[in-house]
Amino acid sequence: MKGYEIMNNLPYVKYQKIYLKEYSDDTLTRCILWNKEKSDLGQEFYDSISKIQNTLNLTIQNLNLKVDRNIPYMTVNCFNYITNGTRIVVRDKVEFNDENILLTVDSMMDHFTNISHNVDCFQAAGRALIERTSDYNNTKHFDVTILFDKMIRELTIIDILLDIAYFNSYSFLRDMSLSEKRAFSRQKSEFFKSEGLPTVFDETRSDDLDYYSIAFSCHKPNISDMEHYEYEIDIDKYISIWDRFIKKYYGDKTHKEISVQKQIMHRRNNHLPNNYYLEFNDLQPGVYYILRTEEKNIPPKYLRRVMSLFGIKKTSDMSVGYLKRIESKDFDQYTELYDFAGVSVFKIVVQ
């Protein structure tokens, strides 16, 4: 589980492992364009993608435990070519003098019709700047350019992807047309300016950005001055800013969660009765969790507790497949069982 230990020392993180994602295939795939052959970042950047994905999904889980919508998890890929899922281009000083690089990438994007936005990320020592790409390069498909120091490179990428996941948790946002999604990106930057929100960047050179991530406003100040930095975001602040933004621009819209039956279909290794969704009929709206025994041989330390939770009378009856529905308020009671006793957990939203 080493990949999940990257945030153990951060005081705001309560859950250290990605329990909810483990059994969910409710995921989005987004890509980073990076050309290793033309970059000075080296293998270290490619290797960092795994850490970025784990940190991102742990943050999404913390959000999922606080909101009454299903926020999709993310798979992050890094390629040297454009895909439908490309949203970030990463380049560095080796490429800086190549005036045609962004125009070349821009022309490649002409072949894709569903890319709502793209962010040009340029790694430059000692910088933390966000500006309009068109201020210095006349491209069609780039909404903003971010210059960042290596230390906040991962933060910048995670923040961009986190907003994508959160955006897709609202039914009325993910169902937008491409032009509406592009307008939405501009609205976030307008909101950032009108609200006078703080930002992780030392400089915001343009007043009319075509893109801004709300997550950029939810970090500790002056992180660029820190010698070492691990990703840390104020989850409650992030939710609050999004709530105010949605109320201002989309107050007349209503989110519609998919049916419980369809939600259960997103459970990886389903192994649930076909009619199990009926267990959620007539419940009060809210968040619930499906617990399931995934192992027969439970460590002795947790055996009695698991048996009591699932109503198992005899030790000899212990097996895989017992089910239990719990309310969201009870989630914390069983974290040890998710960790060490082979109990899976899956989120359900009753609307």
Side-chain angles (χ1 to χ4, degrees):
M1 306 297 287
K2 287 184 178 179
Y4 300 141
E5 295 170 1
I6 54 180
M7 302 175 75
N8 281 355
N9 296 322
L10 301 184
Y12 85 96
V13 175
K14 191 169 186 178
Y15 308 101
Q16 307 301 337
K17 297 180 181 178
I18 314 178
Y19 311 113
L20 299 182
K21 179 181 181 295
E22 185 176 0
Y23 283 88
S24 174
D25 66 6
D26 183 11
T27 58
L28 300 173
T29 298
R30 292 296 182 268
C31 303
I32 299 169
L33 172 65
W34 175 63
N35 192 331
K36 182 178 180 180
E37 301 303 319
K38 292 187 177 182
S39 172
D40 199 33
L41 300 182
Q43 186 67 28
E44 181 268 337
F45 171 69
Y46 188 82
D47 293 342
S48 72
I49 301 302
S50 176
K51 180 179 179 181
I52 286 171
Q53 179 173 283
N54 285 336
T55 305
L56 170 64
N57 283 322
L58 182 55
T59 305
I60 291 172
Q61 173 173 274
N62 278 280
L63 288 166
N64 261 319
L65 290 165
K66 285 179 172 283
V67 302
D68 58 356
R69 302 183 311 281
N70 278 304
I71 307 169
Y73 295 93
M74 297 200 77
T75 298
V76 184
N77 292 325
C78 185
F79 300 126
N80 63 352
Y81 52 87
I82 301 292
T83 75
N84 279 319
T86 301
R87 296 294 182 273
I88 300 171
V89 175
V90 173
R91 57 196 181 92
D92 59 48
K93 61 184 180 182
V94 173
E95 301 170 305
F96 184 67
N97 293 324
D98 185 353
E99 297 180 357
N100 294 318
I101 185 168
L102 289 187
L103 291 172
T104 300
V105 173
D106 200 50
S107 65
M108 288 192 291
M109 289 182 185
D110 285 335
H111 300 289
F112 299 91
T113 59
N114 67 337
I115 296 179
S116 57
H117 64 280
N118 232 301
V119 182
D120 167 35
C121 294
F122 173 61
Q123 182 166 314
R127 301 303 299 274
L129 164 69
I130 183 169
E131 65 180 0
R132 284 178 62 92
T133 303
S134 57
D135 283 349
Y136 70 93
N137 202 322
N138 186 27
T139 62
K140 301 187 297 294
H141 296 293
F142 287 93
D143 299 277
V144 74
T145 288
I146 296 173
L147 283 76
F148 52 73
D149 190 276
K150 174 183 177 181
M151 184 172 52
I152 63 169
R153 179 181 68 206
E154 292 175 7
L155 174 148
T156 304
I157 294 171
I158 293 168
D159 280 1
I160 294 168
L161 297 174
L162 184 64
D163 262 28
I164 292 172
Y166 208 79
F167 171 93
N168 280 277
S169 71
Y170 289 97
S171 60
F172 55 85
L173 296 184
R174 63 174 176 260
D175 292 340
M176 283 178 167
S177 67
L178 187 61
S179 61
E180 288 172 330
K181 289 178 180 179
R182 289 174 175 164
F184 173 88
S185 291
R186 290 189 292 274
Q187 287 171 338
K188 284 198 298 178
S189 63
E190 292 169 5
F191 186 76
F192 155 68
K193 182 182 176 183
S194 66
E195 293 279 310
L197 297 175
T199 181
V200 71
F201 298 103
D202 298 330
E203 306 170 70
T204 51
R205 188 173 290 171
S206 307
D207 290 332
D208 55 345
L209 301 173
D210 285 332
Y211 172 84
Y212 188 79
S213 167
I214 287 175
F216 292 158
S217 294
C218 300
H219 299 284
K220 288 182 177 180
N222 304 318
I223 64 168
S224 59
D225 296 334
M226 297 170 60
E227 186 176 351
H228 301 288
Y229 179 75
E230 290 284 351
Y231 188 82
E232 186 172 349
I233 186 170
D234 187 329
I235 293 291
D236 292 331
K237 184 177 183 180
Y238 185 75
I239 295 171
S240 175
I241 294 175
W242 264 97
D243 286 348
R244 299 201 312 269
F245 171 79
I246 292 296
K247 183 178 181 180
K248 179 174 181 177
Y249 291 96
Y250 301 94
D252 61 337
K253 304 293 186 181
T254 301
H255 167 69
K256 296 181 181 179
E257 196 71 30
I258 61 175
S259 69
V260 171
Q261 184 178 12
K262 289 183 178 179
Q263 289 177 56
I264 290 177
M265 291 172 64
H266 280 296
R267 189 185 185 278
R268 183 176 290 137
N269 302 329
N270 198 331
H271 300 315
L272 300 181
N274 290 334
N275 64 348
Y276 191 72
Y277 66 93
L278 298 176
E279 294 287 325
F280 296 85
N281 282 358
D282 303 320
L283 293 181
Q284 291 294 316
V287 175
Y288 299 84
Y289 295 96
I290 300 173
L291 308 188
R292 184 180 187 272
T293 56
E294 303 294 340
E295 298 177 11
K296 179 178 180 179
N297 298 317
I298 307 298
K301 179 180 179 179
Y302 303 104
L303 181 58
R304 291 298 173 185
R305 191 174 171 195
V306 171
M307 290 175 64
S308 174
L309 173 62
F310 289 93
I312 304 169
K313 302 300 183 182
K314 298 184 297 183
T315 304
S316 59
D317 290 338
M318 186 67 231
S319 67
V320 173
Y322 284 98
L323 298 170
K324 175 74 174 182
R325 185 191 69 219
I326 65 170
E327 298 180 19
S328 59
K329 65 181 178 63
D330 297 324
F331 182 92
D332 289 357
Q333 296 184 36
Y334 308 113
T335 52
E336 275 192 303
L337 304 187
Y338 315 145
D339 263 334
F340 307 114
V343 174
S344 64
V345 56
F346 184 80
K347 179 180 176 180
I348 292 291
V349 177
V350 175
Q351 198 171 50

